[in-house]
Amino acid sequence: MHLPHQRGPLHDLPDDPAAYDAVLAAVTEEALARLTREGNLEHPAALDDIGDTSLGITSLLGLAWQRTKDPRLPEAVLRSLRFHLRERVFTEDNPGYPNLCRRGSAEPYARYVLQAGAHPIGDWPSTVWALLQAVNVLDTADGIIPDELSYELLELAHGYWRRLTEVTFFNPQEAGNQAIGCVVGGLMLARHLPSPEGESVRARAMSLYADEIRARRVRDRGALLPPEHGGAYDNNYGPISLSFLAQAHRISGEEIFAEDGDALARYIDARLTVGGYDNGGPRYSEQHSGFESVLGLRYFGHRIAADLGRYRGDTRWGRHAVNRDGGIDGHFAFMLVWQIQDTTRWHRTPSQDPVRHQLRAGTVSVAFDDKLTPSLVEAAGTYYLPAAVGRQHGFGPVVDGFLLCRPMGETRVRDLRTDALTAKLVTKPVVGRDHVLRHIRSLYVTDGTRLWMTVTVERLDGTPYLLAGMPYATDDGDRVRRTAEPDVTSAGALRLTHPPADGVDHFDARSETTQEQAAFALAADPRGYGNPDEGWRHLVASTALEVDPAPGAPQDLHVFAVRYGPGGPFTPAFERAPAGLTVRTEAFTALIGDPAGDARGEPELELHPH
């Protein structure tokens, strides 16, 4: 089976002016055919995320008018704008909405579901989106809208801003993308308001960003990130936050948005595989955004000189939101407007700078988590997730059911690159059930096609083995297909095991259950609101690659040696030397320094290609 949302790299979609004109032409024809007598442009099947969608398509028609001067468009823009002002502006508080800090304000808002009290939880973000659609209409439909209608729309946008920042609690869902979107709406609104109103709105937007968003950033993998639904990063909403930061910097010129966007972009680049696959986050574990991410990935990929466009988006949403029948939905239409207006081009070559939480070369990559344990391994087009044993997750030696990968002290990293090879040595102190402090030294070497992983530890009692990941998915053209078939060779005996028990807390990679579905099933709250990452941590056991110790290791060490990807025989040799452990494979000779390291305790590494 194919994963439903992991599709093609976003930079594969043409983004030249002619391509965008073709997109707008298709939107125009569908919108004109859909436009009702009342002026409604909503998708007929849309039920939720609906309160701003007709206005979103209106903004796209305004942009199409700017670029083509199609004589059919002015009437459609006016009729659809009047529909929104007449039918989609709500001023009475939605029954059941709990996030008000001032009741009966009569300030306007947009509803997530049109029926009163049906599903008010999404009203705050829907009002953010309506604000952004409104200011985009003011920008794109200039020259079409008469002054009195323009004034009414501006007053509505200002009312949306007051509702978001005065009448309700700010950012009630703790969603970074929504909060930054609100700030962008204020910055764009301020440009249309007369002074001093505009200056006041701009100042309020900047203070909200500084005090309510930036001050609450969460640290992960060495980066400070806008929190997303309570976590540090979400692989669906994180890139959307990047797009909002890009628009904030484009329209304001404030350096703070560039700095924070650069940091988030470098973080995404480090965790993203070469093939663009990623998973994880506090809201959607595998779902990916599409066009909503393009602006940020392109804008900041250019700024940091990294190929962020390799990100696998949901290309069904590659241009704009669509409903199940493929028909256009105006949800998030402002992002398409902005990415058309922005002329930044994709940066398509990878950064060559070593990154602490990533190893990358050619078609091979390893993304490391905060504890410098692999969170995702990619080789030969196959993606390996951390395996689970006894509720412990990761890559590392296992002895008597205990996984040795959680550091008890400082984790040290040494990066090394030659003309043919790229390597990373990770040294971490760990403590087992016997309370003995040991040094785990993990060497990752790649030639851009294959990945060699060598793990050494002081000799363990019992019958240890290396937990070497769970094969989960593989590239299949422009899709990602589930797999439980690894392309792995090891020096010691290799086993692919599957959990012996059934149930949601035992994950068998041969099943049709996706990691996302299993993670939500284990989460505390309902799907869409729970934290799948927290749920996944409850996993007891999973499909796992288990590797026995390599023969021929020094008597005082256990050494585990694995090669991911194609190749012939794999018979590494190991030799104790005064400076450390020498490892010889068919492709290289490496010297892994003594755990004590150099004079500062830093691990030493030498690497010589064959």
Side-chain angles (χ1 to χ4, degrees):
M1 60 173 287
H2 287 109
L3 296 178
H5 304 284
Q6 300 270 357
R7 294 176 181 254
L10 290 176
H11 65 201
D12 285 354
L13 293 169
D15 66 339
D16 57 279
Y20 281 132
D21 283 339
V23 172
L24 287 175
V27 169
T28 295
E29 296 307 319
E30 184 176 342
L32 292 177
R34 178 188 297 175
L35 184 66
T36 67
R37 180 174 306 197
E38 295 80 14
N40 189 352
L41 285 170
E42 294 162 0
H43 191 287
L47 296 174
D48 53 24
D49 260 331
I50 192 173
D52 65 296
T53 60
S54 181
L55 191 61
I57 298 179
T58 302
S59 71
L60 291 173
L61 296 181
L63 183 59
W65 160 256
Q66 274 189 354
R67 295 167 73 92
T68 67
K69 295 298 186 283
D70 184 331
R72 301 173 298 171
L73 292 175
E75 180 186 353
V77 168
L78 289 174
R79 200 196 311 176
S80 59
L81 175 56
R82 289 190 175 104
F83 167 79
H84 181 84
L85 293 171
R86 184 179 66 250
E87 303 289 344
R88 293 296 180 259
V89 177
F90 298 88
T91 55
E92 293 185 0
D93 296 344
N94 202 348
Y97 188 68
N99 293 313
L100 296 173
C101 50
R102 194 171 89 228
R103 298 193 177 276
S105 68
E107 295 290 2
Y109 66 96
R111 282 185 178 171
Y112 179 72
V113 175
L114 297 178
Q115 181 183 353
H119 192 8
I121 193 171
D123 286 358
W124 200 87
S126 289
T127 304
V128 174
W129 313 152
L131 168 61
L132 293 169
Q133 315 283 28
V135 291
N136 270 348
V137 171
L138 289 169
D139 285 341
T140 62
D142 185 41
I144 298 178
I145 307 175
D147 289 346
E148 65 276 9
L149 203 60
S150 180
Y151 177 78
E152 185 177 353
L153 180 60
L154 180 60
E155 284 296 295
L156 173 64
H158 202 177
Y160 283 151
W161 173 254
R162 290 190 296 268
R163 167 73 68 160
L164 293 165
T165 60
E166 299 173 12
V167 177
T168 66
F169 293 102
F170 182 78
N171 191 20
Q173 295 183 15
E174 296 184 9
N177 77 97
Q178 298 172 10
I180 304 171
C182 181
V183 167
V184 171
L187 295 172
M188 295 183 71
L189 171 66
R191 301 186 305 174
H192 291 277
L193 293 171
S195 182
E197 282 182 304
E199 295 171 3
S200 174
V201 168
R202 180 186 171 96
R204 175 69 170 146
M206 293 303 299
S207 69
L208 284 170
Y209 184 75
D211 300 335
E212 299 295 332
I213 301 172
R214 198 166 198 263
R216 300 175 188 268
R217 288 178 299 171
V218 179
R219 185 176 296 277
D220 185 49
R221 308 187 196 191
L224 284 170
L225 308 169
E228 187 53 64
H229 291 280
Y233 172 83
D234 186 284
N235 70 326
N236 182 33
Y237 292 124
I240 296 176
S241 285
L242 193 66
S243 287
F244 281 126
L245 287 169
Q247 180 67 1
H249 185 243
R250 288 182 66 237
I251 62 173
S252 73
E254 294 285 349
E255 191 61 23
I256 192 172
F257 298 120
E259 293 173 1
D260 293 353
D262 287 351
L264 177 54
R266 291 190 179 98
Y267 172 88
I268 293 173
D269 187 41
R271 69 175 288 146
L272 196 61
T273 60
V274 172
Y277 174 78
D278 184 22
N279 78 314
R283 190 66 181 271
Y284 290 114
S285 203
E286 283 187 317
Q287 288 196 44
H288 274 44
S289 49
F291 75 100
E292 315 102 296
S293 301
V294 167
L295 175 65
L297 295 170
R298 193 175 64 191
Y299 188 85
F300 284 105
H302 181 81
R303 280 185 55 92
I304 69 170
D307 56 336
L308 297 184
R310 70 187 189 276
Y311 179 93
R312 281 187 181 269
D314 191 334
T315 49
R316 295 170 299 182
W317 281 42
R319 300 302 193 183
H320 47 68
V322 296
N323 218 283
R324 291 184 178 181
D325 63 357
I328 186 173
D329 188 313
H331 182 53
F332 257 63
F334 47 83
M335 283 293 189
L336 178 57
V337 172
W338 299 342
Q339 67 171 273
I340 292 175
Q341 292 172 335
D342 179 55
T343 58
T344 305
R345 308 300 295 173
W346 287 111
H347 183 93
R348 296 182 178 274
T349 56
S351 171
Q352 297 300 311
D353 297 332
V355 177
R356 179 174 173 85
H357 293 90
Q358 180 196 59
L359 175 72
R360 178 185 177 190
T363 59
V364 172
S365 57
V366 184
F368 296 88
D369 65 16
D370 221 24
K371 301 183 187 325
L372 270 297
T373 298
S375 62
L376 192 55
V377 170
E378 171 192 24
T382 297
Y383 303 102
Y384 300 83
L385 300 179
V389 56
R391 298 189 185 275
Q392 303 161 94
H393 300 203
F395 289 72
V398 177
V399 58
D400 295 332
F402 190 83
L403 174 61
L404 298 169
C405 72
R406 295 171 296 277
M408 181 64 69
E410 187 67 22
T411 299
R412 301 173 188 265
V413 176
R414 174 65 61 89
D415 288 285
L416 192 61
R417 185 188 294 269
T418 72
D419 291 340
L421 300 171
T422 303
K424 185 184 293 285
L425 176 62
V426 177
T427 302
K428 61 175 73 171
V430 299
V431 173
R433 284 203 173 103
D434 57 6
H435 292 233
V436 174
L437 185 69
R438 294 179 174 88
H439 285 81
I440 299 285
R441 290 174 291 168
S442 302
L443 174 64
Y444 306 87
V445 180
T446 178
D447 61 359
T449 302
R450 299 164 292 178
L451 173 71
W452 290 265
M453 181 168 68
T454 306
V455 179
T456 75
V457 62
E458 291 91 341
R459 183 160 285 270
L460 302 162
D461 295 330
T463 56
Y465 65 89
L466 179 73
L467 195 65
M470 176 181 72
Y472 178 69
T474 189
D475 290 338
D476 186 13
D478 62 351
R479 298 293 300 276
V480 178
R481 176 173 49 82
R482 282 289 305 282
T483 189
E485 300 175 1
D487 185 2
V488 172
T489 309
S490 64
L494 173 69
R495 297 175 297 278
L496 180 65
T497 66
H498 304 285
D502 295 327
V504 294
D505 56 357
H506 290 73
F507 187 82
D508 192 326
R510 299 169 298 180
S511 73
E512 293 192 356
T513 302
T514 66
Q515 189 268 349
E516 176 188 347
Q517 291 168 333
F520 269 119
L522 291 166
D525 295 310
R527 181 177 178 84
Y529 302 96
N531 184 335
D533 276 5
E534 286 186 357
W536 188 251
R537 283 192 279 271
H538 293 296
L539 193 70
V540 173
S542 73
T543 293
L545 283 166
E546 299 179 357
V547 178
D548 285 345
Q555 289 188 351
D556 60 338
L557 293 178
H558 270 125
V559 179
F560 306 90
V562 183
R563 185 185 63 204
Y564 299 82
F570 181 52
T571 55
F574 314 97
E575 180 183 345
R576 169 73 80 181
L581 178 69
T582 298
V583 179
R584 291 187 177 88
T585 73
E586 73 280 15
F588 63 86
T589 297
L591 175 65
I592 302 174
D594 185 270
D598 63 15
R600 294 182 300 141
E602 294 295 326
E604 295 182 336
L605 175 63
E606 294 182 12
L607 188 64
H608 305 283
H610 292 171

